[in-house]
């Protein structure tokens, strides 16, 4: 039987058996280096089993199967705590963009090690003066012989401290308006001229970083897509990002999932409260609706229909659902959410999930930005005025750029 002849249900069974036998126990005691080693070993095993890059082309190590197969895997994976978050940006965003826009050489060089967990990627878009309006970014890449010389600063770069490669968006032509004159590059994060500084957030962890480029030299073949067409590449990647964030398989045992809030209500003696029961049912329905919407996006993607602005619906709804889960947890547990016994791991995990929730409505584009995209591109509302759209970037007063 060739790979494409395996049905999604057969594939589901294959995935279920493999996951049951191979997922390592989640061990919070492991330090950072050990966690990374566990994650890399697991990703390699996943790839060897043909369960990584399920929809990626087989010629680059993927399995060449359909979105229905991916979904079957995701549903089985939701029963486990897979140590794959280190690869989320590479597998969910950068890799698919290399599949879409990379040269044959870039695909051959980067996709197989990415799939096997040998190389970690990060996404270098946001800057201190360019987040929602990322087209205002000021990191410059200027021609340097055949290649490029890069200077500038990025911020909030998730996982950069572990990354081997990054997808960098830099300005290559400031004489063009801000959405033009950008180029996407593949950056070796260990190259001289790249400095990474971790930033700690309110969960106590350091999930993201500042990244400085100080005379970083890039070869000509570092360009991903076309020179000065980086905005198209960025939109491609952000489309993958929104689906990946909004549609990521939410573990069934994640603290804010409906099943766990039911368990929380049971432990708190609130499960007989009719108001709590009603809210739990509504929360479950909303959560299931999002799952089904994501299923539809994946099926359409399989049929060649890009998610487009509907990725924003998935992303926004996912973030709003988490906030709703936090509010519901608060109504169920009351002050118990703020103080718990040191050895109560469930409560500690819930507190961590609650503290991480605000990031969900910022990362990958804020809720306000998603609403604007939905309003303009799906509902057909008038576009936000963009007075700077046709003005050469050099003449704009954006971010930290001086006039002139
Ligand atoms: C956990 C986390 C991980 C991240 N990881 C990465 C990463 O790996 N790589 C990367 O490049 N970036 C990353 N980011 C950055 C993220 O993309 C930006 O934070 C986000 O796009 C918002 O930009 P900003 O923080 O500059 O806020 P701003 O753009 O300054 O926005 C501030 C506020 O103004 C609102 N606002 C801005 N413009 C408008 C508008 N036109 N209409 C209505 N409201 C508006 C926003 O909604 C927000 O409430 C991450 C962020 C977080 C929180």
């Amino acid at each position: 039987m060739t790979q494409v002849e395996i049905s999604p249900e057969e594939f589901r069974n294959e995935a279920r058996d493999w996951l049951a036998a191979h997922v390592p126990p989640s061990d919070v005691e492991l330090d950072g280096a050990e966690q990374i080693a566990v994650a890399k070993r697991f990703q390699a095993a996943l790839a060897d089993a043909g369960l990584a890059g399920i929809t990626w082309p087989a010629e680059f190590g993927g399995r060449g199967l359909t979105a229905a197969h991916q979904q079957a895997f995701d549903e089985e994976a939701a029963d486990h705590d897979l140590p794959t978050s280190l690869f989320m940006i590479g597998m969910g965003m950068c890799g698919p963009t290399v599949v879409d826009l990379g040269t044959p050489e870039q695909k051959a060089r980067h996709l197989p090690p990415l799939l096997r967990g040998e190389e970690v990627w990060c996404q270098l878009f946001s800057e201190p003066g360019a987040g929602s309006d990322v087209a205002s970014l000021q990191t410059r890449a200027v021609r340097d012989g055949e290649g490029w010389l890069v200077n500038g600063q990025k911020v909030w770069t998730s996982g950069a401290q572990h990354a081997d490669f990054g997808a960098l968006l830099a300005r290559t032509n400031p004489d063009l308006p801000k959405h033009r004159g950008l180029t996407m590059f593949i950056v070796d994060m260990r190259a001289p001229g790249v400095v990474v500084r971790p930033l700690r957030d309110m969960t106590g962890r350091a999930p993201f970083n500042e990244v400085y480029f100080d005379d970083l030299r890039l070869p000509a073949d570092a360009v991903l897509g076309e020179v000065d067409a980086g905005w198209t590449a960025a939109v491609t990647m952000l489309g993958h990002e929104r689906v990946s964030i909004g549609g990521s398989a939410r573990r069934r045992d994640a603290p804010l999932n409906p099943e766990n809030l039911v368990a929380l209500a049971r432990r708190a003696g609130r499960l007989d409260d009719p108001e709590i029961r009603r809210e739990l049912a509504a929360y479950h329905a909303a959560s299931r609706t999002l799952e089904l919407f994501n299923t539809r996006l994946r099926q359409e993607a399989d049929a060649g229909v890009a998610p487009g602005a509907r990725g924003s619906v998935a992303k926004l709804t996912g973030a709003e659902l988490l906030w709703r889960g936090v509010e519901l947890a608060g109504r169920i547990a009351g002050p118990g959410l703020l103080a718990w016994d040191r050895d109560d791991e469930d409560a500690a995990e819930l507190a961590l999930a609650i503290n991480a929730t605000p990031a969900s409505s910022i990362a990958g584009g804020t809720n306000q930005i998603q609403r604007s995209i939905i309003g303009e591109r799906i509902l057909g509302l008038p576009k936000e005025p963009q007075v700077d759209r046709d003005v050469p970037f050099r003449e704009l007063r954006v971010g930290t750029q001086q006039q002139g």
Side-chain angles (χ1 to χ4, degrees):
M1 179 185 281
T2 63
Q3 300 286 29
V4 284
E5 282 167 359
I6 188 170
S7 73
E9 279 317 298
E10 287 170 301
F11 185 69
R12 177 189 297 279
N13 294 335
E14 177 186 322
R16 181 185 302 136
D17 292 347
W18 191 89
L19 290 166
H22 292 91
V23 177
S26 50
D27 190 345
V28 288
E29 299 294 311
L30 292 181
D31 74 18
E34 286 170 315
Q35 273 176 356
I36 286 171
V38 167
K40 288 192 166 190
R41 274 199 302 276
F42 181 75
Q43 184 69 24
L46 204 59
D48 287 343
L51 297 172
I54 292 165
T55 58
W56 290 18
E59 58 181 312
F60 301 117
R63 185 91 181 244
L65 295 175
T66 68
H69 295 82
Q70 178 71 54
Q71 189 189 338
F73 177 86
D74 289 349
E75 285 170 8
E76 292 306 316
D79 284 333
H80 300 273
D81 184 7
L82 303 192
T84 48
S85 59
L86 183 64
F87 306 107
M88 195 176 124
I89 289 177
M91 292 295 300
M93 303 163 207
C94 302
T97 308
V98 173
V99 170
D100 289 344
L101 303 177
T103 61
E105 293 74 24
Q106 286 170 333
K107 290 180 192 178
R109 162 64 189 84
H110 291 292
L111 296 178
L114 209 165
L115 272 177
R116 292 186 49 75
E118 289 160 6
E119 290 171 352
V120 176
W121 281 63
C122 65
Q123 180 203 35
L124 299 150
F125 283 15
S126 304
E127 299 185 1
S132 298
D133 183 15
V134 77
S136 294
L137 62 86
Q138 288 173 261
T139 293
R140 288 291 315 274
V142 295
R143 294 270 187 192
D144 174 40
E146 293 286 294
W148 301 86
L149 191 65
V150 180
N151 282 284
Q153 184 199 346
K154 297 290 171 177
V155 74
W156 317 127
T157 317
S158 301
Q161 70 270 53
H162 309 303
D164 302 288
F165 287 94
L168 165 71
L169 203 54
R171 188 161 307 279
T172 36
N173 189 346
D175 293 320
L176 293 175
K178 65 180 181 177
H179 291 92
R180 292 184 259 147
L182 297 171
T183 300
M184 190 174 287
F185 295 94
I186 298 175
V187 172
D188 176 352
M189 295 297 287
R190 320 264 183 223
V194 182
V195 175
V196 177
R197 291 199 192 138
L199 293 167
R200 204 160 289 283
D201 73 7
M202 71 178 174
T203 64
R205 301 173 302 174
F208 40 39
N209 302 265
E210 298 176 302
V211 179
Y212 293 87
F213 302 110
D214 187 7
D215 281 343
L216 165 69
R217 286 177 196 285
L218 292 177
D221 63 4
V223 172
L224 181 56
E226 303 289 324
V227 172
D228 289 347
W231 187 249
T232 308
V235 169
T236 301
M237 191 177 290
L238 291 172
H240 289 300
E241 176 172 26
R242 275 159 203 159
V243 173
S244 170
I245 294 176
S248 57
R250 294 187 61 207
R251 272 168 48 209
R252 286 198 232 289
D253 61 341
L256 290 168
N257 271 358
E259 294 80 357
N260 271 307
L261 292 193
V262 170
L264 181 70
R266 187 172 292 117
R267 286 200 301 280
R270 303 289 309 277
L271 205 51
D272 292 332
D273 180 328
E275 188 56 22
I276 295 289
R277 292 173 76 87
R278 191 193 62 73
E279 287 186 37
L280 281 169
Y283 184 57
H284 172 78
S287 189
R288 183 76 186 122
T289 305
L290 176 60
E291 265 177 51
L292 292 173
F293 181 69
N294 284 320
T295 299
R296 183 172 167 173
L297 287 191
R298 275 197 290 262
Q299 287 170 345
E300 289 185 359
D302 195 28
V305 180
R310 289 165 315 147
S312 293
V313 176
K315 204 270 159 181
L316 173 65
T317 312
E320 289 195 324
L321 203 61
L322 281 174
W323 277 106
R324 190 164 162 185
V326 169
E327 282 169 21
L328 184 50
R331 274 200 289 287
I332 292 169
L337 278 189
L338 301 176
W340 60 90
D341 288 337
R342 200 175 272 277
D343 51 2
D344 185 344
E345 281 182 20
D346 287 342
E349 260 207 57
L350 181 59
L352 184 63
I354 289 171
N355 276 328
T357 291
S360 70
S361 40
I362 302 172
T366 68
N367 284 8
Q368 290 80 7
I369 295 300
Q370 308 303 343
R371 283 201 178 86
S372 290
I373 293 172
I374 294 164
E376 290 174 13
R377 300 204 206 138
I378 297 180
L379 303 178
L381 299 177
K383 278 181 87 66
E384 263 195 86
Q386 287 184 304
V387 289
D388 56 358
R389 199 171 175 88
D390 299 316
V391 181
F393 180 77
R394 196 185 285 288
E395 292 169 21
L396 297 177
R397 295 176 76 183
V398 292
T400 54
Q401 178 168 276
Q402 301 298 312
Q403 191 177 24

